[in-house]
Amino acid sequence: MKKYVLLCGLMCVASTANAGEWIYDVSGVANGLYGYSDYAKRYKAQHKHHHTPISGEIYTYAGYRFENGTEFKIGLDGQAADGKEVEDYNHGTWGENLYATIVSDYGEFNVGQVYNAAYQLAVGAPSVGYFRVNNSPITDFVANPNWQRRHHKIASYRTLNSTYLNTDADALKASYITPQWHGVKAAFSYTPDSYSEAGLINRKSRYDNRSSYAGGVYYNGVFEWFEMESSLGYAYNRKNNQEASAGLSLYRKGWTLGGSYRQSWTTGTDYALNERTNDEQPFFYDGYREGRAFNIGVSYEIGPFKTGVSYFGAYAKKTDNKDKIFSWANRFAFNKYVAIYLTGAYAEYKGTTDGEDGNKGYAAVAGLELSF
């Protein structure tokens, strides 16, 4: 409750500081999907082949624009999902993000439930609308035992789920992004408590409620034959691990080729990897802390149609856990309000160190997207 009162108070102060105008916006997107999945034999009795998940997101903000162009905004976003036959640990079934943003000639400052600075500036393999390459929704159709919530209690990541630095996820934090200068901008974030439902830190871990720091650099350049984006990121998660990432994307005449890489590691001052603090914590559940992930993909967009192929891989250093996801996603927009999807994917997951065999299979997914 305190964070809501603080943000509202800041907005009231800002509105009396200078002449200007009020600004606001509301937008959203909803997706309804149907997919057929083929599982490894050991999963056939646990999961259905047919899945019909639905999800929706809404984005709102209200604020004030001063005469000098400076903007102060408070944003509130919401997410909801239902009908998942396979419950993975992407973002849960609902969530909300509250944050305040100041945009001026001196850069952008935000405080609230946002992703860290390195994540905000990151680039990598192109996504096709709903079908992201990182934190892939394909796991809703071909279950990944390395990313699942277990028995409605244990949230377990055995491998990295993204090449972007998202260990602290959307936990409450403060971030600053510099103005862009010759195509370059930098950013820094501080997270006082890195535990978040959408992050990689387990509620049952002995290192929850620990601070996290992240920084990133972004570059955009337009050359004679192509446009380039690139990024570098670093995060220090206190008593947990350190991480670094790099990404590159090239664009020319509707074609985009991109990829990114992430490495995580621990030092002697971090907590032990596999010490169990209670019965609900699985053995070696935080093995992801020393691992790597990478993605690569290419997409083509012409008018209302976009298609793309991508590969995501993740490997845990001190275990045999591995994830491999291939996908081919297509999106056709009838107008700015309605679009359809058709996607095929193959996923192969090597399971956890406690004896599970992992999973693999194909998925074919069709869907409808409504935007406003």
Side-chain angles (χ1 to χ4, degrees):
M1 178 61 68
K2 291 182 179 179
K3 64 185 178 184
Y4 293 88
V5 174
L6 174 61
L7 293 180
C8 292
L10 289 172
M11 187 172 179
C12 292
V13 171
S15 66
T16 60
N18 201 350
E21 62 177 342
W22 291 97
I23 55 176
Y24 65 90
D25 187 59
V26 179
S27 62
V29 60
N31 292 281
L33 304 172
Y34 166 76
Y36 179 84
S37 306
D38 179 41
Y39 293 104
K41 289 183 178 181
R42 67 183 304 273
Y43 282 88
K44 291 185 183 296
Q46 301 177 34
H47 302 304
K48 298 178 181 179
H49 290 295
H50 304 275
H51 308 295
T52 55
I54 59 173
S55 63
E57 298 182 18
I58 188 169
Y59 313 97
T60 67
Y61 73 79
Y64 202 77
R65 181 183 294 121
F66 299 101
E67 286 186 337
N68 63 3
T70 297
E71 295 182 356
F72 176 85
K73 299 181 289 187
I74 289 181
L76 177 60
D77 303 337
Q79 309 88 29
D82 192 25
K84 293 185 177 182
E85 295 289 347
V86 178
E87 184 178 0
D88 62 34
Y89 200 59
N90 282 344
H91 292 291
T93 55
W94 66 274
E96 48 80 21
N97 301 87
L98 178 68
Y99 52 92
T101 302
I102 298 175
V103 182
S104 72
D105 293 337
Y106 301 100
E108 177 179 324
F109 175 81
N110 53 62
V111 58
Q113 295 165 284
V114 295
Y115 280 86
N116 65 55
Y119 186 101
Q120 293 182 51
L121 299 185
V123 300
S127 296
V128 180
Y130 176 84
F131 289 95
R132 307 174 301 272
V133 179
N134 288 318
N135 207 10
S136 174
I138 292 298
T139 57
D140 291 338
F141 300 92
V142 181
N144 186 349
N146 294 324
W147 298 355
Q148 277 195 283
R149 184 190 301 271
R150 298 173 183 280
H151 309 300
H152 305 286
K153 299 178 184 178
I154 299 169
S156 176
Y157 276 108
R158 311 295 183 94
T159 52
L160 293 168
N161 69 342
S162 170
T163 57
Y164 299 165
L165 305 184
N166 65 344
T167 292
D168 54 2
D170 54 1
L172 182 70
K173 61 175 65 64
S175 300
Y176 170 70
I177 303 176
T178 69
Q180 190 158 313
W181 181 74
H182 293 288
V184 178
K185 57 183 175 180
F188 174 79
S189 293
Y190 167 65
T191 308
D193 178 359
S194 55
Y195 171 75
S196 169
E197 275 291 340
L200 298 180
I201 293 180
N202 190 308
R203 180 190 294 274
K204 306 299 180 181
S205 68
R206 60 179 292 190
Y207 53 82
D208 59 5
N209 299 320
R210 294 295 181 178
S211 58
S212 179
Y213 306 82
V217 179
Y218 167 87
Y219 171 73
N220 174 256
V222 179
F223 302 94
E224 183 176 359
W225 296 103
F226 63 93
E227 181 178 351
M228 182 181 79
E229 292 182 293
S230 60
S231 65
L232 294 172
Y234 170 78
Y236 170 70
N237 305 303
R238 184 172 177 264
K239 295 295 185 181
N240 179 10
N241 71 343
Q242 298 179 61
E243 303 177 287
S245 66
L248 178 67
S249 179
L250 305 175
Y251 173 84
R252 173 177 166 80
K253 293 184 177 181
W255 290 93
T256 302
L257 172 65
S260 52
Y261 178 81
R262 175 182 181 183
Q263 182 81 42
S264 62
W265 67 95
T266 59
T267 65
T269 60
D270 296 320
Y271 285 138
L273 278 170
N274 63 346
E275 181 177 346
R276 298 186 67 178
T277 58
N278 57 67
D279 291 337
E280 293 184 354
Q281 179 179 309
F283 174 74
F284 221 86
Y285 79 99
D286 57 356
Y288 76 86
R289 295 195 299 165
E290 293 194 56
R292 65 188 189 277
F294 69 93
N295 62 39
I296 188 169
V298 60
S299 69
Y300 179 67
E301 186 170 9
I302 179 170
F305 177 69
K306 184 175 183 179
T307 184
V309 294
S310 64
Y311 172 77
F312 174 89
Y315 306 87
K317 179 180 178 181
K318 293 192 175 183
T319 72
D320 293 328
N321 299 39
K322 298 178 182 179
D323 301 319
K324 299 178 181 179
I325 300 174
F326 302 85
S327 65
W328 176 30
N330 301 274
R331 180 181 187 270
F332 183 86
F334 293 99
N335 50 50
K336 64 179 181 179
Y337 303 109
V338 181
I340 57 174
Y341 288 105
L342 182 62
T343 297
Y346 172 75
E348 183 176 319
Y349 317 114
K350 186 168 184 180
T352 58
T353 54
D354 59 8
E356 295 187 14
D357 297 328
N359 191 16
K360 63 180 179 179
Y362 295 88
V365 184
L368 176 68
E369 177 184 277
L370 302 176
S371 304
F372 67 90

